Amino acid sequence: MKSVNYKYLNILLILGIAYLLFLMKEVWLGAVTKIFNIALPFIISFGLAYVLYPFLEFLIKKGFPKWVSVLIIILSLLLIVGLTSYFVFPVFIEQLINLLSNLTKVTSDLGAKYGVDINVINNYVSSFSSVLLQNVEAFISSGNIIKVLSSWVDVITKFIIIFIVTIYFLSDMPKIRSKIKDFMQKKDKKKFQLIKNIDTEVYSYLKGLGIFMIIQFFEYTFLFLIIGHPNFLLIGVLACITTVIPYFGGIITNLIALVIASVVSPKVFILTLLITIIFPNIDGYVISPKIYGKTNELPAVLTVFVVFAGGALFGFTGIVIAVPLTIILMAIIKTYKPEIEKGFKKIKKKSKI
């Protein structure tokens, strides 16, 4: 009599559970999304405090009291946000409105230039841009100004919550880190090593991402400004934001830049094309490796998969958190690799006849 093949039985059980979860996604996905939305401001606050902690540590080592160090960091952040809102935001909004206003013209010119019938696209673009441009006016004229105000109140409330909670987390971060360190060292050295690895990997990723986003903003804003691209700031902001979407973010930004340039002039289009060919390669093979170093070297296929899965489940938020979560998972696998290999060997032995 043949013994049970546990290897295939385990695979069938895993597939069965995955299929059941897929069938019940209407039940659990909504609950998970709600819980995630409630927790999101606190997650953002902790993430900001976590990223800002090295600056706090630096100032404390320089002899500043902790409360003064926290105050310096918070005031610096407010100054950066204020200057950005005053100098960058108005130009960005102006360029965005101009782009939306001219979307129909852009698609029509593209169709005429390349002899392509794009009436369907043109109608959709016209409808889309009109809705965006007239959204506020429609709310006001229909008496739904309360909805507009309530949405703004919601955004401002979340911003205030994030701001206050970040201050608390940042002030308590030395204590939080110390308690976690003491607890994990006493409890389990292996788990302490795991927490240490996660801390190093995630911080390296976030630090590199932040630096790379700033570089992308100034790099592409300046490049498109000097070639006379009409939406230079819009492209710079998009290049900065879409950095959080590996591989696809840069492609999306470059396509938008090329589409706009194609109806401006042949000269601007050629210069834009040169930028979109040369500089992404410089970013990918020169700047990015210098910033990130040898940390967080995730396989390209895995990165694409987790970004796609994160976007499918949680939208843009899922895309943003997909890579950090994968880095944490890879750190767990790396730390417990001997135990995992031992477990697989046991499964193989049991599955043998």
Side-chain angles (χ1 to χ4, degrees):
M1 186 176 175
K2 292 183 178 180
S3 62
V4 178
N5 192 320
Y6 288 99
K7 180 181 178 181
Y8 297 117
L9 183 61
N10 288 332
I11 292 169
L12 284 172
L13 282 170
I14 291 167
L15 290 173
I17 291 167
Y19 183 64
L20 283 172
L21 287 172
F22 175 75
L23 290 177
M24 296 173 65
K25 68 178 180 179
E26 299 294 333
V27 177
W28 63 265
L29 189 58
V32 170
T33 305
K34 274 192 175 181
I35 293 166
F36 182 77
N37 288 334
I38 292 167
L40 187 59
F42 298 93
I43 295 168
I44 293 170
S45 298
F46 185 82
L48 284 170
Y50 176 76
V51 171
L52 294 170
Y53 173 71
F55 298 102
L56 177 67
E57 199 175 29
F58 172 77
L59 290 170
I60 290 171
K61 283 179 181 177
K62 290 293 180 181
F64 291 95
K66 189 173 77 172
W67 71 270
V68 175
S69 303
V70 172
L71 185 63
I72 290 169
I73 292 168
I74 296 301
L75 288 175
S76 300
L77 278 177
L78 288 173
L79 182 64
I80 291 167
V81 171
L83 290 173
T84 303
S85 301
Y86 186 78
F87 291 106
V88 177
F89 191 68
V91 181
F92 173 78
I93 292 297
E94 183 186 348
Q95 291 189 5
L96 181 61
I97 290 170
N98 287 336
L99 175 63
L100 291 172
S101 302
N102 294 314
L103 270 178
T104 308
K105 183 179 180 298
V106 169
T107 52
S108 298
D109 288 351
L110 282 171
K113 183 175 284 189
Y114 299 107
V116 180
D117 184 12
I118 52 172
N119 284 329
V120 176
I121 298 172
N122 201 26
N123 291 334
Y124 175 77
V125 168
S126 177
S127 174
F128 173 73
S129 58
S130 296
V131 168
L132 284 175
L133 290 170
Q134 296 172 9
N135 198 21
V136 175
E137 185 183 344
F139 269 123
I140 294 170
S141 61
S142 62
N144 287 326
I145 187 67
I146 294 171
K147 289 184 179 179
V148 179
L149 291 174
S150 64
S151 65
W152 274 105
V153 168
D154 183 55
V155 171
I156 292 167
T157 304
K158 282 181 180 177
F159 178 80
I160 292 169
I161 290 169
I162 290 168
F163 179 73
I164 293 170
V165 177
T166 299
I167 294 173
Y168 279 112
F169 273 136
L170 187 59
S171 300
D172 291 337
M173 190 58 71
K175 198 184 293 182
I176 292 168
R177 293 176 71 94
S178 178
K179 282 186 177 180
I180 291 172
K181 183 180 177 181
D182 292 341
F183 176 77
M184 295 308 295
Q185 276 182 326
K186 289 176 185 176
K187 200 80 177 171
D188 190 333
K189 288 185 178 180
K190 190 83 172 179
K191 286 179 181 175
F192 172 69
Q193 188 60 44
L194 172 62
I195 297 295
K196 196 175 176 182
N197 290 343
I198 290 172
D199 182 46
T200 303
E201 293 289 327
V202 172
Y203 182 74
S204 297
Y205 168 75
L206 292 175
K207 179 186 173 184
L209 180 65
I211 294 169
F212 197 51
M213 286 176 76
I214 293 167
I215 290 171
Q216 291 282 283
F217 171 72
F218 285 105
E219 178 185 352
Y220 285 98
T221 300
F222 177 72
L223 285 169
F224 286 111
L225 174 64
I226 60 173
I227 67 168
H229 198 288
N231 296 98
F232 62 91
L233 186 61
L234 180 64
I235 302 300
V237 171
L238 283 174
C240 171
I241 294 170
T242 56
T243 302
V244 300
I245 311 173
Y247 306 110
F248 298 110
I251 294 170
I252 293 165
T253 303
N254 290 336
L255 284 174
I256 292 170
L258 285 166
V259 168
I260 298 167
S262 67
V263 294
V264 175
S265 71
K267 179 186 173 183
V268 173
F269 178 76
I270 291 167
L271 291 172
T272 301
L273 183 62
L274 287 172
I275 288 172
T276 57
I277 291 171
I278 296 168
F279 285 90
N281 285 294
I282 294 173
D283 295 334
Y285 294 105
V286 180
I287 298 174
S288 181
K290 283 188 177 293
I291 293 171
Y292 288 106
K294 293 183 179 180
T295 59
N296 315 138
E297 292 183 340
L298 297 179
V301 176
L302 178 62
T303 305
V304 172
F305 173 75
V306 297
V307 167
F308 176 77
L313 289 172
F314 300 108
F316 184 73
T317 305
I319 291 170
V320 173
I321 65 171
V323 174
L325 287 178
T326 307
I327 288 169
I328 292 170
L329 181 62
M330 295 298 285
I332 293 169
I333 293 169
K334 189 177 177 182
T335 305
Y336 288 97
K337 190 177 178 182
E339 287 84 351
I340 293 167
E341 287 176 349
K342 196 180 288 183
F344 275 117
K345 283 177 183 177
K346 284 182 181 179
I347 293 168
K348 281 182 182 179
K349 282 181 181 178
K350 285 182 180 180
S351 65
K352 286 180 180 179
I353 299 171

